[in-house]
Amino acid sequence: MTLSTFSRRGTEAMLALMATAVAAYAFIAYGLQPAGASVGEAMQQVYRLNPIVIHTHAFAAGLALLLGPWQFSTRLRTRRPRLHRWIGRTYLLAGIVVGGVSGLLLSRIAQGGWVAQLGFASLAVVWLYTGWRGYRAIRQGERAQHRRWMLRNHALTLAAVSLRIYIPLFLASGVPFEQAYPVIAWLCWVPHLVVAQWWLNRGRTSVAEALPTMAR
Ligand code: HEM
């Protein structure tokens, strides 16, 4: 195993771990506690008035976060292709479609004013779009394109992780929530898309080589 493969796998494992931790947070906070029990007072009030949409979103998007990393496992793809397909369908339908539409609905009532609301709404639209492109590509038998779109899509799913890292970081740096949140609503996903595109554009000889290889 080369040093770069070692560090790449380490990064992938760390991302998968963080994704699982945030998914676990969503399931526990919205499955075992009253809606919004773990967030600030203003958010809590909004969630109590909209329990269906917040619960739908937390569970569906949490599922996407939990399932996503497994889809990049070459071992799973090659040895258990049926499982890869079923996880993929669940990820796209339950995770992205339900999680994305509920995320879009939530963006209208999100904290942080119109800048934050636009940031979340844009994320939801791009999340749904990349998922749709990934699905369409595989239905048309274009595997390389499918992987590229799903990599972009999963980079966006990981916005949920960055968001929950940035909020305490901004607050600890003394930036008030009202100022931090509109910035974070964009910062949590735009750089992810840029990094995913950079990764895909790197001068690799084949797309398969350029994609993550978790648990190979
Ligand atoms: C990638 C597309 C996503 C969009 C567009 C989106 C959108 C939103 C919006 C607008 C809110 C309300 C924020 C507010 O009230 O100010 C929210 C809250 C929430 N989202 Fe998402 N979200 C996405 C992904 C995810 C993922 C992948 C998870 C996985 C766990 C997730 C879990 C949650 C949870 C648990 C909340 C409630 C707030 C909290 O307890 O932290 N979201 N989301």
Side-chain angles (χ1 to χ4, degrees), residues 25 30 39 47 54 57 61-62 65 107 110-111 120 124 127 160 164 181:
Y25 156 73
Y30 291 85
V39 294
Y47 295 164
I54 186 63
H57 178 70
L65 207 47
S107 68
Q111 305 298 306
F120 288 127
W127 205 35
R164 284 162 187 85
Y181 206 52

Side-chain angles (χ1 to χ4, degrees), residues 132-143 145-146:
W132 159 245
R133 292 298 303 263
Y135 175 73
R136 201 180 68 169
I138 201 61
R139 296 303 298 172
Q140 293 173 344
E142 294 171 5
R143 285 180 180 216
Q145 281 304 321
H146 168 68

Side-chain angles (χ1 to χ4, degrees), residues 19 22-27 29-30 36-39 42-43 46-47 54 57-66 96 99-100 102-112 116-117 119-125 127-128 153 156-161 163-164 167 177 181 189:
V22 174
Y25 156 73
F27 296 147
Y30 291 85
S38 51
V39 294
M43 260 188 203
V46 175
Y47 295 164
I54 186 63
H57 178 70
F59 294 128
L63 192 65
L65 207 47
L66 200 63
I96 309 304
S102 54
L104 192 58
L105 293 174
L106 275 175
S107 68
R108 301 184 60 217
I109 50 173
Q111 305 298 306
Q117 292 171 353
F120 288 127
S122 309
L123 168 61
V125 170
W127 205 35
L128 287 163
N153 180 267
L156 293 170
T157 309
L158 292 174
V161 175
L163 180 101
R164 284 162 187 85
I167 292 176
F177 179 80
Y181 206 52
W189 67 273

